[in-house]
Amino acid sequence: MYQTNGYHVAVVGATGAVGQQMIQTLVNEKFPIKQLTLLSSARSAGKKVTIDGVEHTIQEAKPESFAGVDIALFSAGGNISKELAPEAVKHGAIVVDNTSAFRMDQDIPLVVPEVNEHDLHEHNGIIANPNCSTIQMVVALEPIRQKYGLKKVIVSTYQAVSGAGAVAIEELQNQTKALLNGETVEPRILPVKGDKNHYQIAFNAIPQIDKFQENGYTFEEMKMINETKKIMHLPELPVAATCVRLPVAVGHSESVYFEIEADGVSANEIKELLKTAPGVVLQDDPENQVYPMPAHCVGSNDVFVGRIRNDLNESRGFHMWVVSDNLLKGAAWNSVQIAESLIKLGLIKEKNKG
């Protein structure tokens, strides 16, 4: 894992679910690391963790923590990012931020490497990692957009509780056990910890992820709508989203309806296109009941696509089912991919290595 000619990498939010996945992904992908700095809140500072046989001490994240850092992967909440990401940049680091703090900032690229890697050339020190549900959808849609054009997108999501953090997974597990034993439950986390009402997630579906906005859509739905347009450079693209939380631990699923600009395209042609699309695994064999499921995607960096079929009424309309590990491709892996792309494009060497 450690290389003399590698990079000094910092992970902010190292004790969180996504932070831990970031660290493991760096190890799995053999990312060229010279030095690894693990940062978290004061509460976690001083904890010891062993990574790839080397013991590390978690440090409190402060502005001075980024001295000498080349790449800083942030996943510690939007307020921390707003406070410390600019400080990291001042110290010469390139920040890949996994929160919503900078995603819609006009001067900050929002990047999914399979879709808009070229936007990395426009960064000024901070790069935003998109929302997990947006990432998997645009990976599946981009090859279609490139070949056939894209006129409209309507998505309904079926999202895992891990998107709300480790405490939401714990709540799902505890509620499930309690209800199976005939006990009552007192929800405390979902749909939104800071909202006024909380609902049972075990044996339930909650049609709210994040807080409602004035237009009746939730913040999660608006993230999908606005981020898709920004990533794909299609500001006028009609996009609508309905985001639902399901009692699944890991793995987001999406039912995506899309309309293309080209005439006379069949579902089989879409399937053939996606067979070789970067980051996509096609699982589409209805006769043998082969289709993507969250239980089978956990631990994979890929986006799985299936159930591709023509709409019965709109000749240019299609439906597909998209599944991915929301902690990996939806967060940790996409962040590390961005860092890999920065190296490949020579952008870290240009800015930080002189």
Short mmCIF file of all heavy atoms in Angstrom, two decimals, residues 184-248:
data_model
loop_
_atom_site.label_atom_id
_atom_site.label_comp_id
_atom_site.label_asym_id
_atom_site.label_seq_id
_atom_site.Cartn_x
_atom_site.Cartn_y
_atom_site.Cartn_z
N THR A 184 -43.11 -3.58 20.70
CA THR A 184 -43.34 -2.31 20.02
C THR A 184 -42.00 -1.62 19.77
O THR A 184 -41.00 -1.92 20.43
CB THR A 184 -44.25 -1.39 20.85
OG1 THR A 184 -43.63 -1.17 22.12
CG2 THR A 184 -45.61 -2.02 21.05
N VAL A 185 -42.01 -0.69 18.83
CA VAL A 185 -40.78 0.04 18.53
C VAL A 185 -41.03 1.54 18.64
O VAL A 185 -42.16 2.01 18.45
CB VAL A 185 -40.25 -0.29 17.11
CG1 VAL A 185 -39.87 -1.76 17.02
CG2 VAL A 185 -41.27 0.07 16.03
N GLU A 186 -39.98 2.27 18.95
CA GLU A 186 -40.05 3.73 19.02
C GLU A 186 -39.01 4.30 18.06
O GLU A 186 -37.84 4.44 18.43
CB GLU A 186 -39.79 4.22 20.44
CG GLU A 186 -40.00 5.73 20.57
CD GLU A 186 -39.76 6.22 21.99
OE1 GLU A 186 -39.64 5.38 22.90
OE2 GLU A 186 -39.68 7.45 22.17
N PRO A 187 -39.41 4.60 16.83
CA PRO A 187 -38.44 5.11 15.84
C PRO A 187 -37.82 6.43 16.28
O PRO A 187 -38.51 7.30 16.83
CB PRO A 187 -39.28 5.30 14.58
CG PRO A 187 -40.50 4.46 14.79
CD PRO A 187 -40.75 4.49 16.26
N ARG A 188 -36.50 6.57 16.01
CA ARG A 188 -35.79 7.78 16.42
C ARG A 188 -34.97 8.41 15.29
O ARG A 188 -34.55 9.55 15.40
CB ARG A 188 -34.84 7.48 17.59
CG ARG A 188 -35.54 7.00 18.85
CD ARG A 188 -34.54 6.70 19.95
NE ARG A 188 -35.20 6.15 21.13
CZ ARG A 188 -35.75 6.90 22.09
NH1 ARG A 188 -35.71 8.22 21.99
NH2 ARG A 188 -36.33 6.34 23.14
N ILE A 189 -34.74 7.66 14.21
CA ILE A 189 -33.80 8.13 13.19
C ILE A 189 -34.50 8.48 11.87
O ILE A 189 -34.36 9.60 11.36
CB ILE A 189 -32.72 7.06 12.90
CG1 ILE A 189 -32.00 6.67 14.19
CG2 ILE A 189 -31.75 7.57 11.84
CD1 ILE A 189 -31.21 7.78 14.84
N LEU A 190 -35.22 7.55 11.30
CA LEU A 190 -35.77 7.72 9.95
C LEU A 190 -37.20 8.28 9.98
O LEU A 190 -37.92 8.04 10.94
CB LEU A 190 -35.75 6.37 9.23
CG LEU A 190 -34.34 5.83 8.98
CD1 LEU A 190 -34.39 4.40 8.50
CD2 LEU A 190 -33.60 6.70 7.98
N PRO A 191 -37.57 9.06 8.96
CA PRO A 191 -36.83 9.28 7.72
C PRO A 191 -35.68 10.26 7.83
O PRO A 191 -34.71 10.17 7.11
CB PRO A 191 -37.90 9.82 6.77
CG PRO A 191 -38.90 10.46 7.66
CD PRO A 191 -38.94 9.62 8.89
N VAL A 192 -35.78 11.24 8.73
CA VAL A 192 -34.71 12.23 8.90
C VAL A 192 -34.54 12.49 10.39
O VAL A 192 -35.51 12.86 11.07
CB VAL A 192 -35.05 13.57 8.19
CG1 VAL A 192 -33.88 14.55 8.30
CG2 VAL A 192 -35.40 13.33 6.73
N LYS A 193 -33.33 12.29 10.88
CA LYS A 193 -33.10 12.41 12.33
C LYS A 193 -33.54 13.76 12.87
O LYS A 193 -34.13 13.86 13.94
CB LYS A 193 -31.62 12.17 12.64
CG LYS A 193 -31.33 12.07 14.13
CD LYS A 193 -29.88 11.70 14.39
CE LYS A 193 -29.63 11.55 15.89
NZ LYS A 193 -28.22 11.19 16.17
N GLY A 194 -33.29 14.84 12.11
CA GLY A 194 -33.60 16.17 12.59
C GLY A 194 -35.01 16.64 12.30
O GLY A 194 -35.37 17.78 12.64
N ASP A 195 -35.84 15.78 11.69
CA ASP A 195 -37.22 16.18 11.39
C ASP A 195 -38.12 15.89 12.59
O ASP A 195 -37.73 15.17 13.52
CB ASP A 195 -37.71 15.46 10.14
CG ASP A 195 -38.54 16.38 9.23
OD1 ASP A 195 -39.03 17.40 9.74
OD2 ASP A 195 -38.68 16.07 8.03
N LYS A 196 -39.35 16.38 12.54
CA LYS A 196 -40.21 16.29 13.74
C LYS A 196 -40.82 14.91 13.95
O LYS A 196 -41.08 14.51 15.09
CB LYS A 196 -41.30 17.36 13.68
CG LYS A 196 -42.15 17.38 12.44
CD LYS A 196 -43.10 18.57 12.46
CE LYS A 196 -43.92 18.67 11.19
NZ LYS A 196 -43.09 19.08 10.03
N ASN A 197 -41.08 14.16 12.89
CA ASN A 197 -41.69 12.83 13.02
C ASN A 197 -40.71 11.75 12.58
O ASN A 197 -39.95 11.94 11.63
CB ASN A 197 -42.96 12.74 12.18
CG ASN A 197 -44.05 13.67 12.68
OD1 ASN A 197 -44.24 13.83 13.88
ND2 ASN A 197 -44.76 14.29 11.76
N HIS A 198 -40.77 10.61 13.26
CA HIS A 198 -39.95 9.45 12.88
C HIS A 198 -40.85 8.24 12.74
O HIS A 198 -41.80 8.08 13.51
CB HIS A 198 -38.86 9.20 13.93
CG HIS A 198 -37.94 10.37 14.09
ND1 HIS A 198 -37.99 11.21 15.18
CD2 HIS A 198 -36.98 10.86 13.27
CE1 HIS A 198 -37.08 12.16 15.03
NE2 HIS A 198 -36.46 11.98 13.89
N TYR A 199 -40.52 7.40 11.73
CA TYR A 199 -41.39 6.28 11.40
C TYR A 199 -40.62 4.97 11.37
O TYR A 199 -39.42 4.93 11.08
CB TYR A 199 -42.06 6.51 10.04
CG TYR A 199 -42.91 7.76 10.00
CD1 TYR A 199 -42.58 8.82 9.17
CD2 TYR A 199 -44.03 7.89 10.82
CE1 TYR A 199 -43.35 9.99 9.14
CE2 TYR A 199 -44.80 9.04 10.80
CZ TYR A 199 -44.46 10.09 9.96
OH TYR A 199 -45.21 11.23 9.95
N GLN A 200 -41.35 3.92 11.64
CA GLN A 200 -40.81 2.56 11.57
C GLN A 200 -40.30 2.28 10.16
O GLN A 200 -40.97 2.56 9.17
CB GLN A 200 -41.94 1.59 11.93
CG GLN A 200 -41.69 0.14 11.63
CD GLN A 200 -42.97 -0.68 11.78
OE1 GLN A 200 -43.81 -0.35 12.64
NE2 GLN A 200 -43.14 -1.71 10.97
N ILE A 201 -39.10 1.71 10.05
CA ILE A 201 -38.56 1.31 8.75
C ILE A 201 -38.67 -0.20 8.55
O ILE A 201 -38.86 -0.66 7.42
CB ILE A 201 -37.10 1.79 8.57
CG1 ILE A 201 -36.58 1.44 7.16
CG2 ILE A 201 -36.18 1.21 9.64
CD1 ILE A 201 -37.35 2.05 6.01
N ALA A 202 -38.60 -0.98 9.61
CA ALA A 202 -38.73 -2.43 9.47
C ALA A 202 -40.10 -2.77 8.89
O ALA A 202 -41.12 -2.25 9.35
CB ALA A 202 -38.54 -3.12 10.82
N PHE A 203 -40.14 -3.63 7.87
CA PHE A 203 -41.38 -4.07 7.22
C PHE A 203 -42.19 -2.87 6.70
O PHE A 203 -43.42 -2.88 6.75
CB PHE A 203 -42.23 -4.91 8.17
CG PHE A 203 -41.48 -6.05 8.79
CD1 PHE A 203 -41.05 -5.99 10.10
CD2 PHE A 203 -41.17 -7.18 8.05
CE1 PHE A 203 -40.34 -7.03 10.68
CE2 PHE A 203 -40.45 -8.23 8.62
CZ PHE A 203 -40.03 -8.16 9.93
N ASN A 204 -41.49 -1.85 6.22
CA ASN A 204 -42.17 -0.63 5.80
C ASN A 204 -41.43 0.00 4.63
O ASN A 204 -40.32 -0.42 4.28
CB ASN A 204 -42.24 0.36 6.98
CG ASN A 204 -43.26 1.46 6.78
OD1 ASN A 204 -44.15 1.36 5.93
ND2 ASN A 204 -43.15 2.52 7.56
N ALA A 205 -42.05 0.99 4.02
CA ALA A 205 -41.40 1.81 2.99
C ALA A 205 -41.74 3.26 3.31
O ALA A 205 -42.91 3.59 3.50
CB ALA A 205 -41.89 1.44 1.60
N ILE A 206 -40.73 4.11 3.38
CA ILE A 206 -40.94 5.51 3.76
C ILE A 206 -40.66 6.40 2.55
O ILE A 206 -39.51 6.48 2.09
CB ILE A 206 -40.02 5.91 4.93
CG1 ILE A 206 -40.24 4.98 6.13
CG2 ILE A 206 -40.26 7.36 5.32
CD1 ILE A 206 -39.30 5.26 7.30
N PRO A 207 -41.68 7.09 2.02
CA PRO A 207 -41.49 7.91 0.82
C PRO A 207 -40.94 9.30 1.14
O PRO A 207 -41.45 10.32 0.67
CB PRO A 207 -42.90 7.98 0.21
CG PRO A 207 -43.79 7.94 1.41
CD PRO A 207 -43.10 7.04 2.42
N GLN A 208 -39.93 9.32 1.98
CA GLN A 208 -39.25 10.58 2.31
C GLN A 208 -37.79 10.29 2.60
O GLN A 208 -37.45 9.52 3.51
CB GLN A 208 -39.87 11.27 3.54
CG GLN A 208 -39.13 12.57 3.89
CD GLN A 208 -39.53 13.17 5.23
OE1 GLN A 208 -40.44 12.67 5.90
NE2 GLN A 208 -38.85 14.22 5.63
N ILE A 209 -36.88 10.92 1.84
CA ILE A 209 -35.45 10.90 2.12
C ILE A 209 -34.99 12.34 2.13
O ILE A 209 -35.09 13.05 1.13
CB ILE A 209 -34.66 10.07 1.10
CG1 ILE A 209 -35.16 8.60 1.11
CG2 ILE A 209 -33.17 10.12 1.38
CD1 ILE A 209 -34.47 7.70 0.10
N ASP A 210 -34.52 12.79 3.28
CA ASP A 210 -34.15 14.18 3.55
C ASP A 210 -35.44 15.02 3.70
O ASP A 210 -36.55 14.53 3.54
CB ASP A 210 -33.22 14.75 2.48
CG ASP A 210 -32.12 15.62 3.10
OD1 ASP A 210 -32.45 16.45 3.97
OD2 ASP A 210 -30.94 15.47 2.74
N LYS A 211 -35.27 16.30 3.97
CA LYS A 211 -36.41 17.15 4.30
C LYS A 211 -37.15 17.63 3.05
O LYS A 211 -36.56 17.77 1.98
CB LYS A 211 -35.94 18.35 5.11
CG LYS A 211 -35.46 17.97 6.51
CD LYS A 211 -35.26 19.19 7.38
CE LYS A 211 -34.90 18.77 8.81
NZ LYS A 211 -34.78 19.93 9.72
N PHE A 212 -38.45 17.88 3.23
CA PHE A 212 -39.27 18.39 2.13
C PHE A 212 -38.93 19.85 1.84
O PHE A 212 -38.66 20.64 2.75
CB PHE A 212 -40.75 18.25 2.45
CG PHE A 212 -41.27 16.86 2.24
CD1 PHE A 212 -41.44 15.99 3.32
CD2 PHE A 212 -41.59 16.40 0.97
CE1 PHE A 212 -41.92 14.70 3.13
CE2 PHE A 212 -42.06 15.11 0.77
CZ PHE A 212 -42.23 14.26 1.86
N GLN A 213 -38.94 20.17 0.55
CA GLN A 213 -38.72 21.53 0.11
C GLN A 213 -40.08 22.19 -0.18
O GLN A 213 -41.12 21.54 -0.18
CB GLN A 213 -37.85 21.54 -1.15
CG GLN A 213 -36.58 20.70 -1.02
CD GLN A 213 -35.64 21.20 0.06
OE1 GLN A 213 -35.06 22.27 -0.05
NE2 GLN A 213 -35.51 20.43 1.14
N GLU A 214 -40.07 23.49 -0.45
CA GLU A 214 -41.32 24.22 -0.68
C GLU A 214 -42.09 23.71 -1.89
O GLU A 214 -43.31 23.84 -1.96
CB GLU A 214 -41.04 25.72 -0.84
CG GLU A 214 -40.61 26.40 0.45
CD GLU A 214 -40.42 27.89 0.28
OE1 GLU A 214 -40.67 28.41 -0.82
OE2 GLU A 214 -40.03 28.55 1.28
N ASN A 215 -41.39 23.11 -2.85
CA ASN A 215 -42.05 22.63 -4.07
C ASN A 215 -42.66 21.23 -3.92
O ASN A 215 -43.18 20.67 -4.88
CB ASN A 215 -41.09 22.65 -5.26
CG ASN A 215 -39.90 21.72 -5.07
OD1 ASN A 215 -39.80 21.01 -4.06
ND2 ASN A 215 -38.99 21.73 -6.03
N GLY A 216 -42.58 20.64 -2.71
CA GLY A 216 -43.17 19.33 -2.48
C GLY A 216 -42.22 18.18 -2.70
O GLY A 216 -42.54 17.03 -2.36
N TYR A 217 -41.06 18.45 -3.28
CA TYR A 217 -40.02 17.43 -3.46
C TYR A 217 -39.11 17.45 -2.23
O TYR A 217 -38.94 18.47 -1.58
CB TYR A 217 -39.19 17.70 -4.72
CG TYR A 217 -39.92 17.41 -6.01
CD1 TYR A 217 -40.87 18.30 -6.50
CD2 TYR A 217 -39.68 16.24 -6.72
CE1 TYR A 217 -41.55 18.04 -7.68
CE2 TYR A 217 -40.34 15.97 -7.90
CZ TYR A 217 -41.29 16.87 -8.38
OH TYR A 217 -41.96 16.60 -9.54
N THR A 218 -38.49 16.29 -1.93
CA THR A 218 -37.52 16.27 -0.85
C THR A 218 -36.18 16.77 -1.37
O THR A 218 -35.93 16.84 -2.58
CB THR A 218 -37.33 14.85 -0.29
OG1 THR A 218 -36.76 14.01 -1.31
CG2 THR A 218 -38.65 14.26 0.19
N PHE A 219 -35.27 17.09 -0.44
CA PHE A 219 -33.94 17.55 -0.80
C PHE A 219 -33.20 16.46 -1.59
O PHE A 219 -32.47 16.76 -2.54
CB PHE A 219 -33.16 17.94 0.46
CG PHE A 219 -31.83 18.59 0.18
CD1 PHE A 219 -31.69 19.56 -0.79
CD2 PHE A 219 -30.71 18.23 0.92
CE1 PHE A 219 -30.46 20.16 -1.04
CE2 PHE A 219 -29.48 18.82 0.68
CZ PHE A 219 -29.36 19.79 -0.30
N GLU A 220 -33.40 15.20 -1.22
CA GLU A 220 -32.78 14.09 -1.96
C GLU A 220 -33.27 14.07 -3.41
O GLU A 220 -32.48 13.87 -4.34
CB GLU A 220 -33.11 12.76 -1.28
CG GLU A 220 -32.50 11.53 -1.96
CD GLU A 220 -31.08 11.24 -1.54
OE1 GLU A 220 -30.51 12.04 -0.75
OE2 GLU A 220 -30.52 10.23 -2.00
N GLU A 221 -34.55 14.27 -3.60
CA GLU A 221 -35.10 14.28 -4.96
C GLU A 221 -34.56 15.44 -5.77
O GLU A 221 -34.21 15.29 -6.95
CB GLU A 221 -36.63 14.32 -4.88
CG GLU A 221 -37.21 13.01 -4.35
CD GLU A 221 -38.62 13.12 -3.79
OE1 GLU A 221 -39.17 14.24 -3.71
OE2 GLU A 221 -39.18 12.07 -3.40
N MET A 222 -34.45 16.60 -5.14
CA MET A 222 -33.91 17.76 -5.84
C MET A 222 -32.43 17.59 -6.14
O MET A 222 -31.92 18.07 -7.17
CB MET A 222 -34.16 19.04 -5.03
CG MET A 222 -35.62 19.45 -4.94
SD MET A 222 -36.48 19.49 -6.55
CE MET A 222 -35.47 20.68 -7.46
N LYS A 223 -31.72 16.88 -5.25
CA LYS A 223 -30.31 16.58 -5.53
C LYS A 223 -30.20 15.76 -6.81
O LYS A 223 -29.37 16.06 -7.68
CB LYS A 223 -29.67 15.83 -4.35
CG LYS A 223 -29.27 16.72 -3.19
CD LYS A 223 -28.44 15.97 -2.16
CE LYS A 223 -29.28 15.21 -1.19
NZ LYS A 223 -28.50 14.64 -0.06
N MET A 224 -31.01 14.72 -6.93
CA MET A 224 -30.97 13.88 -8.13
C MET A 224 -31.29 14.70 -9.38
O MET A 224 -30.63 14.57 -10.42
CB MET A 224 -31.95 12.72 -8.01
CG MET A 224 -31.54 11.64 -7.03
SD MET A 224 -32.43 10.08 -7.32
CE MET A 224 -31.59 9.46 -8.79
N ILE A 225 -32.28 15.54 -9.28
CA ILE A 225 -32.72 16.34 -10.44
C ILE A 225 -31.62 17.31 -10.87
O ILE A 225 -31.21 17.34 -12.04
CB ILE A 225 -34.02 17.09 -10.08
CG1 ILE A 225 -35.18 16.10 -9.92
CG2 ILE A 225 -34.34 18.15 -11.14
CD1 ILE A 225 -36.41 16.68 -9.24
N ASN A 226 -31.13 18.09 -9.93
CA ASN A 226 -30.16 19.14 -10.27
C ASN A 226 -28.78 18.58 -10.59
O ASN A 226 -28.10 19.08 -11.50
CB ASN A 226 -30.07 20.15 -9.12
CG ASN A 226 -31.35 20.93 -8.94
OD1 ASN A 226 -32.05 21.24 -9.90
ND2 ASN A 226 -31.68 21.27 -7.70
N GLU A 227 -28.36 17.55 -9.87
CA GLU A 227 -27.04 16.97 -10.11
C GLU A 227 -26.97 16.28 -11.47
O GLU A 227 -25.96 16.37 -12.17
CB GLU A 227 -26.68 15.99 -9.00
CG GLU A 227 -26.43 16.65 -7.66
CD GLU A 227 -26.17 15.64 -6.55
OE1 GLU A 227 -25.82 14.48 -6.85
OE2 GLU A 227 -26.33 16.01 -5.37
N THR A 228 -28.05 15.60 -11.85
CA THR A 228 -28.06 14.93 -13.15
C THR A 228 -27.86 15.94 -14.28
O THR A 228 -27.06 15.72 -15.20
CB THR A 228 -29.39 14.18 -13.35
OG1 THR A 228 -29.52 13.18 -12.34
CG2 THR A 228 -29.46 13.52 -14.73
N LYS A 229 -28.55 17.06 -14.20
CA LYS A 229 -28.42 18.09 -15.22
C LYS A 229 -27.00 18.66 -15.27
O LYS A 229 -26.45 18.89 -16.36
CB LYS A 229 -29.42 19.21 -14.95
CG LYS A 229 -30.87 18.78 -15.06
CD LYS A 229 -31.81 19.94 -14.73
CE LYS A 229 -33.26 19.51 -14.80
NZ LYS A 229 -34.19 20.65 -14.62
N LYS A 230 -26.40 18.86 -14.09
CA LYS A 230 -25.06 19.44 -14.04
C LYS A 230 -24.01 18.46 -14.56
O LYS A 230 -23.16 18.83 -15.38
CB LYS A 230 -24.72 19.87 -12.61
CG LYS A 230 -23.33 20.50 -12.49
CD LYS A 230 -23.04 21.00 -11.08
CE LYS A 230 -21.62 21.58 -11.00
NZ LYS A 230 -21.30 22.10 -9.65
N ILE A 231 -24.05 17.22 -14.11
CA ILE A 231 -23.05 16.22 -14.51
C ILE A 231 -23.10 15.98 -16.01
O ILE A 231 -22.06 15.88 -16.67
CB ILE A 231 -23.28 14.90 -13.74
CG1 ILE A 231 -23.03 15.08 -12.25
CG2 ILE A 231 -22.38 13.79 -14.29
CD1 ILE A 231 -23.59 13.96 -11.40
N MET A 232 -24.31 15.89 -16.56
CA MET A 232 -24.46 15.55 -17.97
C MET A 232 -24.44 16.79 -18.87
O MET A 232 -24.56 16.66 -20.10
CB MET A 232 -25.75 14.75 -18.17
CG MET A 232 -25.81 13.49 -17.35
SD MET A 232 -27.23 12.43 -17.70
CE MET A 232 -26.56 11.38 -18.97
N HIS A 233 -24.29 17.97 -18.28
CA HIS A 233 -24.27 19.22 -19.05
C HIS A 233 -25.53 19.37 -19.90
O HIS A 233 -25.49 19.76 -21.06
CB HIS A 233 -23.01 19.30 -19.93
CG HIS A 233 -21.74 19.35 -19.14
ND1 HIS A 233 -21.26 20.51 -18.57
CD2 HIS A 233 -20.85 18.38 -18.80
CE1 HIS A 233 -20.13 20.26 -17.93
NE2 HIS A 233 -19.86 18.97 -18.04
N LEU A 234 -26.67 19.04 -19.27
CA LEU A 234 -27.97 19.16 -19.92
C LEU A 234 -28.90 19.97 -19.01
O LEU A 234 -29.82 19.42 -18.39
CB LEU A 234 -28.57 17.77 -20.19
CG LEU A 234 -27.83 16.87 -21.18
CD1 LEU A 234 -28.43 15.47 -21.19
CD2 LEU A 234 -27.86 17.48 -22.58
N PRO A 235 -28.68 21.29 -18.92
CA PRO A 235 -29.46 22.10 -17.96
C PRO A 235 -30.95 22.13 -18.23
O PRO A 235 -31.74 22.38 -17.31
CB PRO A 235 -28.85 23.51 -18.11
CG PRO A 235 -28.16 23.49 -19.45
CD PRO A 235 -27.69 22.09 -19.66
N GLU A 236 -31.37 21.84 -19.46
CA GLU A 236 -32.79 21.87 -19.81
C GLU A 236 -33.44 20.48 -19.79
O GLU A 236 -34.63 20.35 -20.10
CB GLU A 236 -32.98 22.50 -21.20
CG GLU A 236 -32.39 23.89 -21.35
CD GLU A 236 -32.94 24.88 -20.33
OE1 GLU A 236 -34.15 24.82 -20.05
OE2 GLU A 236 -32.15 25.68 -19.80
N LEU A 237 -32.69 19.45 -19.44
CA LEU A 237 -33.24 18.09 -19.45
C LEU A 237 -34.36 17.96 -18.41
O LEU A 237 -34.15 18.25 -17.23
CB LEU A 237 -32.13 17.08 -19.13
CG LEU A 237 -32.56 15.61 -19.05
CD1 LEU A 237 -32.94 15.09 -20.43
CD2 LEU A 237 -31.43 14.76 -18.46
N PRO A 238 -35.56 17.52 -18.81
CA PRO A 238 -36.61 17.27 -17.82
C PRO A 238 -36.26 16.04 -16.98
O PRO A 238 -36.08 14.95 -17.52
CB PRO A 238 -37.86 17.01 -18.68
CG PRO A 238 -37.53 17.55 -20.03
CD PRO A 238 -36.05 17.36 -20.19
N VAL A 239 -36.16 16.23 -15.67
CA VAL A 239 -35.86 15.14 -14.74
C VAL A 239 -36.83 15.23 -13.58
O VAL A 239 -37.07 16.32 -13.04
CB VAL A 239 -34.41 15.22 -14.20
CG1 VAL A 239 -34.12 14.02 -13.30
CG2 VAL A 239 -33.39 15.28 -15.33
N ALA A 240 -37.40 14.10 -13.18
CA ALA A 240 -38.26 14.03 -12.00
C ALA A 240 -37.84 12.82 -11.16
O ALA A 240 -37.39 11.81 -11.71
CB ALA A 240 -39.73 13.90 -12.40
N ALA A 241 -37.97 12.96 -9.84
CA ALA A 241 -37.53 11.87 -8.96
C ALA A 241 -38.48 11.71 -7.79
O ALA A 241 -39.02 12.69 -7.27
CB ALA A 241 -36.12 12.16 -8.44
N THR A 242 -38.67 10.45 -7.38
CA THR A 242 -39.36 10.11 -6.14
C THR A 242 -38.44 9.16 -5.39
O THR A 242 -38.08 8.09 -5.92
CB THR A 242 -40.70 9.42 -6.40
OG1 THR A 242 -41.53 10.29 -7.18
CG2 THR A 242 -41.39 9.08 -5.09
N CYS A 243 -38.01 9.54 -4.19
CA CYS A 243 -37.02 8.76 -3.45
C CYS A 243 -37.65 8.12 -2.22
O CYS A 243 -38.27 8.81 -1.40
CB CYS A 243 -35.84 9.65 -3.05
SG CYS A 243 -34.90 10.29 -4.45
N VAL A 244 -37.47 6.80 -2.10
CA VAL A 244 -38.13 6.01 -1.06
C VAL A 244 -37.08 5.21 -0.29
O VAL A 244 -36.16 4.64 -0.88
CB VAL A 244 -39.16 5.05 -1.68
CG1 VAL A 244 -39.87 4.23 -0.61
CG2 VAL A 244 -40.18 5.84 -2.52
N ARG A 245 -37.22 5.17 1.04
CA ARG A 245 -36.33 4.38 1.88
C ARG A 245 -36.97 3.02 2.14
O ARG A 245 -38.15 2.93 2.54
CB ARG A 245 -36.09 5.10 3.20
CG ARG A 245 -34.99 4.49 4.05
CD ARG A 245 -33.61 4.81 3.50
NE ARG A 245 -33.20 6.18 3.78
CZ ARG A 245 -32.10 6.74 3.26
NH1 ARG A 245 -31.33 6.03 2.43
NH2 ARG A 245 -31.78 7.98 3.54
N LEU A 246 -36.21 1.95 1.92
CA LEU A 246 -36.67 0.59 2.15
C LEU A 246 -35.86 -0.08 3.27
O LEU A 246 -34.74 0.34 3.55
CB LEU A 246 -36.53 -0.25 0.88
CG LEU A 246 -37.45 0.03 -0.30
CD1 LEU A 246 -37.30 -1.08 -1.33
CD2 LEU A 246 -38.90 0.15 0.13
N PRO A 247 -36.39 -1.15 3.86
CA PRO A 247 -35.66 -1.88 4.91
C PRO A 247 -34.57 -2.80 4.33
O PRO A 247 -34.60 -4.02 4.48
CB PRO A 247 -36.76 -2.66 5.62
CG PRO A 247 -37.82 -2.85 4.60
CD PRO A 247 -37.78 -1.62 3.74
N VAL A 248 -33.62 -2.19 3.63
CA VAL A 248 -32.46 -2.88 3.06
C VAL A 248 -31.24 -2.21 3.67
O VAL A 248 -31.19 -0.98 3.78
CB VAL A 248 -32.44 -2.73 1.52
CG1 VAL A 248 -31.15 -3.25 0.92
CG2 VAL A 248 -33.65 -3.43 0.91
#
